[in-house]
């Protein structure tokens, strides 16, 4: 190992003298490669900020999750915790607000309004809504077991009826902490979506060219049908959710709960979509932090070396190191995760240290009266 390190030191010691003789060629190759990597970063950059991006395809955790989705559908949804500003989720204003919100989301889910009927809203990907409004309770009367919805079947119109609904909900053990809190100040709405379970090969759309061709085929159902038992079940590949889809979903959801009719409730969001929104906000903060870090580096370099070159070249090296790293991965088709923001910070820290090391060594030799080329 020591021999390898010595050879590397010898190589880098001799590199400046050799490269200076071919500096035009070196600079040309540098800018050509930089243009290629920047093009790859701009055109082929993709990011997956889901939790699954942290696991390999054959990881047991991801395999188990895929099996779960094959059998039970998506586990990717949003759980909305809402707080009644009057302190009671069973008050008249709170129940009216949740009834209106549940009905509005139901209309969007079923495509009954103008926007979602044309498929323009990602909220149409909600497949089920569970809340106090449609929560089912069970009650036995003699030998008969009744299962009814708590509010939607017989919506309470008076204080006495609302109190009766509260007592009825309290008899259902599975309602507590799922639909309301112990002090009745908080309640929850669960939105189940089809995120992550849409097959890559969707059924043919009606009216498509392929569907029209199939309709034109003549099928004779009088012939004996045969079954091919040699066929095997194929693994279903699901479409991956993109970051912009999560953000659009959350923006549309927040726009609805921000309406005046829901001002009596304060909403809090949990779930994968909300986490993606949180992660994106963190990335924006990380970008601001990166800018501040770069400003600090520029300031320190100027205070240390009092030279425009000592500021310009390290910043250039750091910037192009980031472009090369991200551009190369993008050209290789690698989908990046949230680690990319940490990678930028790592490049900034290590790149600055390396550049300062080279500059300080150069200036040390210059102070010892070595000529420029010799100091290099």
């Amino acid at each position: 190992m020591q021999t390898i390190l010595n050879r590397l030191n010898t190589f880098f010691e001799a590199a400046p003298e050799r490269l200076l003789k071919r500096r035009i060629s070196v600079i040309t190759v540098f800018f050509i490669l930089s243009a290629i990597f920047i093009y790859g970063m701009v055109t082929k950059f993709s990011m997956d900020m889901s939790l699954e991006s942290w696991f390999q395809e054959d990881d047991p955790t991801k395999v188990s999750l895929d099996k779960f989705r094959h059998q039970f559908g998506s586990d990717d949804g949003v759980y909305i915790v809402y707080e009644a500003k009057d302190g009671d989720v069973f008050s008249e204003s709170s129940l009216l607000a949740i009834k209106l919100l549940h009905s509005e989301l139901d209309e969007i889910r079923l495509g009954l309004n103008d926007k979602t009927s044309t498929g323009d809203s990602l909220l149409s990907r909600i497949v089920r809504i569970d809340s106090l409004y449609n929560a089912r309770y069970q009650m036995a009367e003699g030998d008969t077991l009744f299962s009814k919805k708590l509010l939607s079947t017989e919506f309470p119109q008076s204080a006495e009826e609302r109190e009766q609904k509260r007592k009825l909900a309290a008899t259902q053990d599975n309602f507590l902490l799922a639909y309301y809190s112990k002090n009745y100040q908080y309640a929850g709405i669960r939105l189940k979506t089809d995120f992550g379970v849409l097959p890559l090969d969707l059924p043919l759309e009606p009216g498509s060219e392929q569907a029209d061709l199939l309709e034109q085929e003549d099928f004779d159902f009088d012939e004996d049908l045969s079954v091919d038992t040699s066929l095997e079940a194929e693994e279903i590949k699901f479409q991956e959710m993109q970051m912009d889809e999560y953000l659009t979903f959350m923006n549309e959801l927040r726009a609805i709960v921000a309406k005046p009719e829901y001002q009596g409730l304060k909403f809090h969001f949990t779930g994968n979509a909300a986490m993606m929104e949180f992660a994106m906000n963190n990335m924006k903060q990380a970008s601001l932090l990166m800018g501040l870090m770069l400003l600090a580096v520029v300031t320190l370099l100027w205070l240390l070396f009092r030279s425009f070159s000592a500021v310009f070249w390290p910043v250039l090296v750091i910037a192009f190191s980031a472009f090369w790293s991200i551009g190369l991965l993008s050209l290789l088709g690698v989908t990046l995760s949230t680690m990319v923001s940490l990678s930028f910070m790592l490049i900034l820290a290590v790149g600055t240290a390396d550049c300062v090391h080279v500059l300080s060594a150069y200036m040390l030799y210059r102070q010892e009266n070595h000529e420029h080329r010799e100091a290099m």
Side-chain angles (χ1 to χ4, degrees):
M1 179 60 71
Q2 188 62 39
T3 302
I4 295 176
L5 291 176
N6 290 334
R7 290 179 179 177
L8 284 175
N9 287 332
T10 303
F11 170 79
F12 283 114
E13 182 180 1
E17 182 68 25
R18 297 175 180 176
L19 294 178
L20 282 173
K21 298 177 181 178
R22 304 173 178 84
R23 56 185 177 275
I24 302 300
S25 300
V26 171
I27 293 175
T28 301
V29 171
F30 170 78
F31 280 109
I32 290 175
L33 289 176
S34 298
I36 293 174
F37 291 139
I38 292 175
Y39 172 78
M41 184 178 66
V42 172
T43 59
K44 299 184 180 299
F45 177 81
S46 62
M47 179 180 292
D48 182 6
M49 298 184 68
S50 66
L51 296 178
E52 299 172 48
S53 65
W54 296 79
F55 300 95
Q56 295 182 355
E57 286 296 325
D58 57 349
D59 189 279
T61 302
K62 192 173 186 306
V63 172
S64 298
L65 178 60
D66 289 339
K67 289 182 179 178
F68 174 89
R69 288 176 172 173
H70 279 99
Q71 296 184 40
F72 303 104
S74 176
D75 65 325
D76 191 352
V78 175
Y79 187 77
I80 306 174
V81 177
Y82 62 91
E83 176 185 0
K85 293 182 179 180
D86 60 9
D88 185 8
V89 295
F90 280 93
S91 67
E92 180 181 9
S93 60
S94 297
L95 289 183
L96 287 174
I98 199 61
K99 173 186 177 181
L100 183 60
L101 177 60
H102 191 111
S103 301
E104 184 173 1
L105 291 176
D106 243 347
E107 289 183 359
I108 295 174
R109 178 177 70 87
L110 299 173
L112 299 179
N113 64 11
D114 294 337
K115 186 175 182 180
T116 53
S117 62
T118 58
D120 294 333
S121 173
L122 274 177
L123 293 180
S124 61
R125 297 187 63 176
I126 298 174
V127 298
R128 180 175 174 179
I129 305 172
D130 294 314
S131 70
L132 279 173
Y133 184 68
N134 69 336
R136 285 190 174 274
Y137 67 91
Q138 294 182 345
M139 181 177 294
E141 293 184 4
D143 296 332
T144 306
L145 180 64
F146 293 94
S147 178
K148 297 182 179 180
K149 293 183 179 179
L150 182 65
L151 299 176
S152 62
T153 302
E154 298 175 352
F155 192 80
Q157 302 297 329
S158 63
E160 291 77 11
E161 291 180 358
R162 287 191 294 273
E163 191 62 29
Q164 183 182 5
K165 294 292 185 181
R166 184 202 306 271
K167 293 179 180 179
L168 187 58
T171 64
Q172 307 297 306
D173 294 338
N174 60 321
F175 280 14
L176 182 62
L177 301 183
Y179 295 118
Y180 64 88
S181 61
K182 291 182 179 180
N183 60 1
Y184 298 106
Q185 185 177 357
Y186 298 90
I189 306 174
R190 182 167 53 242
L191 305 180
K192 181 178 175 62
T193 67
D194 62 3
F195 292 164
V197 295
L198 291 182
L200 285 174
D201 299 323
L202 292 175
L204 294 179
E205 301 252 346
S208 65
E209 182 178 353
Q210 293 85 350
D212 292 339
L213 290 174
L214 288 175
E215 290 178 359
Q216 294 172 8
E217 295 287 344
D218 292 330
F219 295 98
D220 187 359
F221 292 100
D222 293 332
E223 296 181 0
D224 294 333
L225 296 178
S226 60
V227 178
D228 187 353
T229 58
S230 63
L231 295 177
E232 296 182 358
E234 295 183 359
E235 182 182 357
I236 300 176
K237 296 295 184 180
F238 295 124
Q239 298 178 12
E240 293 184 359
M241 284 294 296
Q242 300 300 319
M243 172 58 65
D244 59 331
E245 293 178 302
Y246 283 119
L247 297 180
T248 302
F249 182 88
M250 288 303 302
N251 288 337
E252 293 178 357
L253 187 57
R254 289 187 183 276
I256 288 179
V257 300
K259 292 181 178 179
E261 49 264 45
Y262 308 124
Q263 293 307 303
L265 304 176
K266 184 178 181 181
F267 295 92
H268 311 274
F269 302 90
T270 64
N272 202 27
M275 288 180 61
M276 294 303 102
E277 183 185 43
F278 178 76
M280 179 55 69
N281 291 332
N282 281 349
M283 286 197 64
K284 292 179 181 179
Q285 294 179 6
S287 300
L288 176 61
L289 181 61
M290 280 289 298
L292 294 175
M293 290 174 62
L294 187 59
L295 179 61
V297 167
V298 170
T299 303
L300 289 174
L301 287 174
W302 176 258
L303 293 176
L304 287 173
F305 298 106
R306 299 287 181 174
S307 169
F308 174 77
S309 297
V311 174
F312 175 77
W313 291 114
V315 171
L316 188 70
V317 168
I318 294 168
F320 277 91
S321 296
F323 294 155
W324 279 40
S325 301
I326 306 303
L328 177 60
L329 292 175
S330 299
L331 288 174
L332 293 176
V334 177
T335 300
L336 301 173
S337 67
T338 50
M339 289 295 291
V340 66
S341 58
L342 299 179
S343 300
F344 278 123
M345 294 183 181
L346 182 63
I347 290 172
L348 178 60
V350 176
T352 302
D354 283 346
C355 291
V356 169
H357 176 77
V358 173
L359 288 171
S360 61
Y362 169 79
M363 295 190 68
L364 176 64
Y365 289 125
R366 290 289 286 162
Q367 290 173 0
E368 294 178 352
N369 297 322
H370 290 280
E371 294 297 329
H372 167 72
R373 181 177 291 270
E374 186 181 3
M376 286 287 291

